Amino acid sequence: MEINAKKAFETLNPRKVWIPVAIGLAIVFYLFWSDPDMTLSDLSNIFKAKTLPLLLAVFVLIARDLGYMYRIRVLTNHEINWSGAFYVIILWEFASAVTPSVVGGTAVAVFILMMERMSFGRSLSFVMLTAIFDNLYFLTVAPLVILLTSGNIFPELQESFSLFGMEFNVDKGLENLFWISFSLILLYTSVMSYALFFRPRAFKWILLRLTGIKFFRKFRHAAAKNGDDIILASRQLKGKDWKYWSKILVSTYFIWTARYLMLNCIIASFASVNFVEHLDILGKEVIMWVIMLISPTPGSSGTAEVSFDLFYNSYLGVNTLGTAILWRLFTYYFYLLLGVLFLPQWIRRIYNRDIKTKEMEKAKEEIKI
């Protein structure tokens, strides 16, 4: 993996926030315009949300981010303090928000950790480990949701819907999209787990054999480099005890469950839902999120809004679009704003710290003289 500071800062460029914002606004406008029963007064219902559930949503949001910060500290053996963990998580979320979901902000996340004085090998291992555990949550919870609901978790709507002049089969289309996404996540997680935890050298050998084929030969150098990176990352994780792994596992399930419960709180601020319905809302979001993971747009802009309308219209009716906007404000646009606000502070923090380090090293040299 090539870690280029210039490319990383290009990804973190605050100007890029307008791309996903524009896509999201365009989809919201289309959903509003294409629904003959929707009026501006329906959208204004967003200001009539119940206060207590919204406060609970804010509480869950804070708990989730604290969980992220705790996990990154555990991953790094507490070498990153709480302040550093805050910047890492905010900028990591920001990078994910301005890059397509199917791509993610992996390279940028490695760069951010390296700027926090982590070596390349350790940074790569931490980012890969995070991805594997996050995917493990989806791979275990999503099938459980489908099993408990007997496969009835997918929205039961009309057989097809029109989007930009094209007809789509909702029932089978969403289910097929889910299984495609699920299969890709399973494949990626299995390969990365095999490479990182069991046979990193065998993984490199497989890459070199594949790129030995004439058609793939131009990728041979990159394959060798990626193989070396995996071997280096694997070395960083040797000797970790069961407490290390259990803390990461528990914190991962806490983080993602909290992330999903936020939507339960937001929906509860617009509609009365019982315990069983809360479980259904939670299960639908797990399925919806797996589908969003293969979105080609930055931060799943557009995909998220359309998916939300399909999954939750039965609960919210005319309040669906307004609730979707509020949900995206909490889970997406909030991190775009935080990224824009805290990126300059993080850059100054890194710059000032490096200057102080150089001054201290210079002072030590003068003392030796």
Side-chain angles (χ1 to χ4, degrees):
M1 179 184 292
E2 294 292 334
I3 304 299
N4 185 295
K6 183 180 179 181
K7 289 183 179 179
F9 280 117
E10 285 176 355
T11 301
L12 292 170
N13 189 339
R15 293 180 181 177
K16 286 197 170 185
V17 303
W18 296 113
I19 299 174
V21 168
I23 295 172
L25 288 176
I27 293 297
V28 167
F29 176 78
Y30 175 80
L31 291 173
F32 177 80
W33 174 77
S34 61
D35 188 346
D37 299 322
M38 180 73 65
T39 64
L40 287 175
S41 61
D42 294 328
L43 281 182
S44 67
N45 287 339
I46 193 173
F47 300 107
K48 299 178 183 179
K50 298 174 188 175
T51 305
L52 181 58
L54 283 185
L55 290 176
L56 287 174
V58 173
F59 173 78
V60 171
L61 173 68
I62 295 171
R64 172 214 157 206
D65 285 343
L66 287 174
Y68 267 127
M69 292 162 63
Y70 171 79
R71 185 174 68 169
I72 200 66
R73 295 196 73 222
V74 171
L75 281 166
T76 61
N77 295 310
H78 300 278
E79 291 179 32
I80 291 182
N81 58 27
W82 285 103
S83 174
F86 172 80
Y87 282 107
V88 168
I89 295 307
I90 294 302
L91 295 178
W92 196 335
E93 287 288 315
F94 180 69
S96 298
V98 295
T99 53
S101 298
V102 71
V103 175
T106 302
V108 178
V110 173
F111 170 75
I112 293 168
L113 286 171
M114 288 175 66
M115 291 298 98
E116 291 293 333
R117 294 180 170 174
M118 297 286 115
S119 67
F120 169 75
R122 297 186 71 200
S123 299
L124 181 61
S125 66
F126 298 148
V127 172
M128 290 183 63
L129 200 58
T130 298
I132 288 172
F133 273 84
D134 286 345
N135 289 345
L136 182 63
Y137 181 92
F138 301 131
L139 294 173
T140 53
V141 175
L144 181 62
V145 167
I146 293 174
L147 180 65
L148 293 176
T149 59
S150 301
N152 296 321
I153 197 70
F154 296 95
E156 295 181 3
L157 304 175
Q158 64 271 22
E159 292 184 359
S160 63
F161 73 98
S162 177
L163 183 63
F164 301 122
M166 296 181 289
E167 292 292 325
F168 294 88
N169 185 298
V170 174
D171 295 327
K172 291 300 178 183
L174 279 180
E175 189 172 350
N176 291 340
L177 194 59
F178 165 79
W179 287 114
I180 290 171
S181 181
F182 183 88
S183 300
L184 291 174
I185 294 170
L186 178 61
L187 177 63
Y188 171 84
T189 306
S190 300
V191 171
M192 287 299 101
S193 298
Y194 172 78
L196 193 63
F197 299 126
F198 302 105
R199 301 288 299 277
R201 293 188 180 279
F203 177 72
K204 179 183 177 180
W205 180 83
I206 292 171
L207 289 179
L208 292 176
R209 292 287 292 181
L210 288 173
T211 52
I213 301 171
K214 185 177 180 179
F215 183 77
F216 298 111
R217 201 163 292 164
K218 62 181 178 180
F219 303 110
R220 191 170 181 80
H221 176 73
K225 180 70 172 64
N226 288 334
D228 290 336
D229 292 343
I230 293 294
I231 293 171
L232 183 61
S234 178
R235 288 174 183 166
Q236 311 302 315
L237 300 175
K238 292 188 180 299
K240 303 294 185 183
D241 59 19
W242 67 270
K243 290 182 180 179
Y244 179 83
W245 299 111
S246 61
K247 287 178 181 178
I248 296 173
L249 183 66
V250 171
S251 60
T252 298
Y253 277 74
F254 171 82
I255 289 163
W256 282 101
T257 303
R259 185 167 199 152
Y260 294 147
L261 284 175
M262 186 191 305
L263 179 56
N264 287 71
C265 296
I266 293 173
I267 290 180
S269 67
F270 291 98
S272 296
V273 290
N274 57 38
F275 178 73
V276 174
E277 289 171 330
H278 270 297
L279 293 178
D280 183 61
I281 290 169
L282 184 66
K284 284 180 184 295
E285 190 174 7
V286 173
I287 301 301
M288 184 174 68
W289 206 274
V290 172
I291 294 172
M292 286 166 54
L293 283 175
I294 59 172
S295 172
T297 58
S300 298
S301 288
T303 306
E305 289 81 2
V306 171
S307 298
F308 188 94
D309 182 66
L310 294 175
F311 275 92
Y312 294 108
N313 189 274
S314 59
Y315 280 103
L316 297 161
V318 294
N319 291 324
T320 303
L321 189 56
T323 309
I325 294 171
L326 190 60
W327 170 63
R328 290 294 276 173
L329 285 173
F330 269 83
T331 60
Y332 183 66
Y333 296 110
F334 178 63
Y335 292 98
L336 287 178
L337 176 62
L338 288 183
V340 171
L341 292 176
F342 286 101
L343 178 62
Q345 292 186 27
W346 179 71
I347 293 173
R348 285 196 297 270
R349 174 175 171 268
I350 298 299
Y351 179 74
N352 293 334
R353 184 199 65 196
D354 290 345
I355 288 178
K356 289 180 181 179
T357 300
K358 290 178 181 178
E359 288 176 349
M360 289 178 64
E361 290 176 352
K362 184 178 180 181
K364 289 179 181 178
E365 291 297 324
E366 289 176 351
I367 291 171
K368 288 180 181 179
I369 293 172

